[in-house]
Amino acid sequence: MDKTHLDKFYKKNHAERMKALIAADILTSDDLLLTDALHLTDELADNMIENHLANYELPLGAALNFLVDGKEYVVPMAIEEPSVIAAASAGAKIIAQAGGFKTTISDRTMIGQVALKDIPDLTVAKSNLVQHKKAILKKANDAHPSIVARGGGATDLFVRFIEADNEAATPEFLVVHLHVSTLEAMGANIINTMLEGITAYLEELTGGTALMSILSNYATECLASAVCQIPVDLLKKNDYTGEEVRDRLIEASQLAYVDPYRAVTHNKGIMNGIDAVVLASGNDWRAISAGAHAYASHSGQYRSLSVWKKADNGDLIGQLTLPLPVGSVGGSISIHPAAQFSKRLMGYQSAKELEAVIVSVGLAQNFSALKALVTEGIQKGHMGLQARSLAISAGASGNAIEKVAEQLKQSKNMNLATAKALLQEILT
Ligand code: NDP
């Protein structure tokens, strides 16, 4: 990557940005022809979902400055919210100056559940399951031999009792967890096929009745962590010293740790970045969001997913961990042209590498949001694009968008009525 071509990327127009990415050796000239062909065809969309009517589009932008485990990335983000891409890029720039993100990606083990009820004898059922573990794993693997041939497959089995809860009037359940290595795939379909392949056998072994068989999106065996360490001289902002920004940012992190009302918003900010990359990469962002928010409660209380602390030498240290069971193949990744474009833009080679980039985006997003919140507030950054959106809502087009937006930013009431009045003035 030759980064010099990406200078002032945000000031370029659409065509100039594509040319810069080609000049920087990130895309090829084929991609220039392809961007118009990134739309889903009716035929493809009709085969992806039921009752297809039209395609609902989102803008796809590029976040810059990501240095993850020593490699530079341009990161695609599909999102409708203004300022998210700018904030991710700004956060990543400071973190790159501080050495970039270091990530740790766990083994990619996914979890499937078979829930059984009406078990005549729980002790006997558990003992039978443990005794026949090898046979159960073999049946699971026989149900999806191609993942085994690729080097993955079912690896382990765990049994959980869920006691009856008289207050909530729920019966007891015996839940069998199947651990599966799904390699480069997120694995929902692989696991569901395996689970359905073992359900009857589990009923036989336990004497119970299966209620359901489905993967769990609480992917606690597929975790991604990113860490960054930022010297205070990179943190100065307006009248705040670097030390003040560091300390206020740590306090913001502490507030999100203890207060669920704040933690949800803190984590929503992290997911602004994560969901946008997950979506751009063609992965299932509902699965990632559900798992992330559940993981935020793993201590028993809903808390912040990230932690910011002071290092012994006075630097600011940030750390983010969450489940990230994304795939580099499967689902719509291989068929959606925009997901394939995202893959070329990011240049990732494996699902683990994609996880490393995504968790880093979450941490950069969080850093930028907290830094803005504890200094000038987030509205200042938001208002530029918000003004443009208001100008467009008021009916502005072409050059009038910029003119209305500029005047709106100076006006006392930045709202639709003001935008309409300003547009009227400009047009008359
Ligand atoms: P697929 O069903 O597309 O399966 C992935 C396929 O990729 C495998 O069957 C495998 O084919 C192929 N493949 C090629 N190379 C590799 C490799 N190196 N490693 C692994 N697989 C490889 O997708 P998933 O099973 O990942 O399921 C994801 C989809 O399931 C998403 O669309 C998701 O939205 C959906 N889903 C999600 C649920 C949830 O989250 N609760 C529930 C149900 C569905 P081969 O057979 O040749 O080995």
Side-chain angles (χ1 to χ4, degrees):
M1 180 189 304
D2 182 354
K3 276 199 310 192
T4 51
H5 297 281
L6 304 180
D7 281 352
K8 300 273 181 285
F9 193 74
Y10 63 99
K11 290 205 163 155
K12 298 183 194 296
N13 64 30
H14 178 265
E16 289 166 345
R17 283 185 200 132
M18 288 302 290
K19 278 192 194 143
L21 288 167
I22 293 165
D25 268 341
I26 296 162
L27 294 175
T28 68
S29 45
D30 287 350
D31 289 299
L32 201 53
L33 303 171
L34 271 175
T35 41
D36 276 344
L38 289 185
H39 307 286
L40 282 178
T41 61
D42 279 347
E43 189 189 354
L44 193 51
D46 212 20
N47 282 297
M48 285 173 74
I49 60 158
E50 308 74 36
N51 302 346
H52 173 252
L53 297 175
N55 295 330
Y56 183 99
E57 293 184 317
L58 286 177
L60 178 72
L64 303 186
N65 312 320
F66 277 85
L67 179 63
V68 180
D69 300 322
K71 184 173 166 187
E72 290 171 325
Y73 293 89
V74 172
V75 185
M77 298 176 83
I79 189 157
E80 86 296 345
E81 187 177 338
S83 300
V84 171
I85 294 177
S89 304
K93 190 172 187 177
I94 294 174
I95 293 167
Q97 285 163 18
F101 303 89
K102 310 268 179 299
T103 70
T104 312
I105 312 298
S106 74
D107 281 345
R108 291 171 47 81
T109 301
M110 309 302 163
I111 301 168
Q113 297 191 296
V114 179
L116 298 143
K117 61 186 188 95
D118 303 331
I119 310 285
D121 186 326
L122 284 172
T123 314
V124 172
K126 184 171 182 191
S127 150
N128 275 349
L129 290 169
V130 172
Q131 232 177 310
H132 293 85
K133 178 169 150 177
K134 246 181 154 177
I136 301 167
L137 293 179
K138 181 173 181 320
K139 254 190 201 305
N141 283 326
D142 287 350
H144 209 301
S146 56
I147 194 70
V148 182
R150 291 182 190 279
T155 55
D156 216 340
L157 188 113
F158 297 88
V159 184
R160 294 170 57 223
F161 288 128
I162 307 211
E163 284 178 19
D165 182 336
N166 292 334
E167 222 169 277
T170 58
E172 62 187 9
F173 292 103
L174 186 149
V175 185
V176 176
H177 276 202
L178 186 70
H179 282 202
V180 183
S181 160
T182 57
L183 303 176
E184 287 298 307
M186 175 258 200
N189 290 318
I190 297 172
I191 291 179
N192 293 344
T193 305
M194 286 186 167
L195 295 175
E196 290 186 8
I198 61 171
T199 300
Y201 188 41
L202 297 185
E203 284 182 319
E204 197 185 301
L205 289 172
T206 60
T209 313
L211 181 64
M212 65 172 75
S213 308
I214 176 93
L215 102 153
S216 170
N217 288 114
Y218 193 25
T220 51
E221 303 298 316
C222 184
L223 297 178
S225 290
V227 179
C228 62
Q229 178 159 347
I230 312 170
V232 282
D233 49 321
L234 293 176
L235 293 173
K236 281 180 226 137
K237 178 96 187 172
N238 303 343
D239 292 340
Y240 291 96
T241 65
E243 284 80 4
E244 282 169 337
V245 173
R246 175 199 63 203
D247 294 344
R248 288 172 66 79
L249 207 144
I250 291 170
E251 283 162 0
S253 161
Q254 291 165 338
L255 173 64
Y257 184 77
V258 292
D259 176 18
Y261 279 87
R262 172 60 205 144
V264 173
T265 322
H266 178 103
N267 291 341
K268 187 273 181 185
I270 291 172
M271 299 313 285
N272 272 346
I274 289 184
D275 281 344
V277 193
V278 170
L279 182 54
S281 72
N283 272 282
D284 183 338
W285 81 98
R286 285 91 51 209
I288 299 301
S289 260
H293 290 290
Y295 193 69
S297 297
H298 75 271
S299 67
Q301 181 187 316
Y302 188 95
R303 299 185 188 282
S304 45
L305 286 163
S306 65
V307 179
W308 293 89
K309 288 186 173 154
K310 185 172 155 183
D312 290 342
N313 69 353
D315 289 355
L316 175 69
I317 295 184
Q319 195 260 345
L320 170 67
T321 301
L322 77 163
L324 264 183
V326 288
S328 70
V329 297
S332 65
I333 299 163
S334 322
I335 54 172
H336 197 304
Q340 286 300 301
F341 174 80
S342 293
K343 198 169 188 174
R344 291 195 295 282
L345 188 63
M346 247 184 293
Y348 67 86
Q349 302 298 321
S350 67
K352 279 192 170 186
E353 190 180 348
L354 178 59
E355 283 186 54
V357 176
I358 295 174
V359 69
S360 301
V361 172
L363 191 56
Q365 206 76 59
N366 185 229
F367 170 62
S368 276
L370 294 186
K371 185 159 164 269
L373 279 170
V374 299
T375 55
E376 64 191 8
I378 61 160
Q379 279 313 82
K380 189 163 182 250
H382 265 263
M383 280 311 164
L385 279 165
Q386 180 61 15
R388 296 176 74 86
S389 297
L390 279 172
I392 294 167
S393 301
S397 60
N399 291 339
I401 298 176
E402 195 55 46
K403 283 185 188 159
V404 173
E406 272 313 308
Q407 292 187 29
L408 255 183
K409 279 193 268 179
Q410 316 301 328
S411 67
K412 202 168 152 213
N413 293 315
M414 200 172 128
N415 55 29
L416 189 58
T418 314
K420 281 184 175 165
L422 288 170
L423 181 63
Q424 193 70 24
E425 270 174 40
I426 286 168
L427 295 180
T428 51

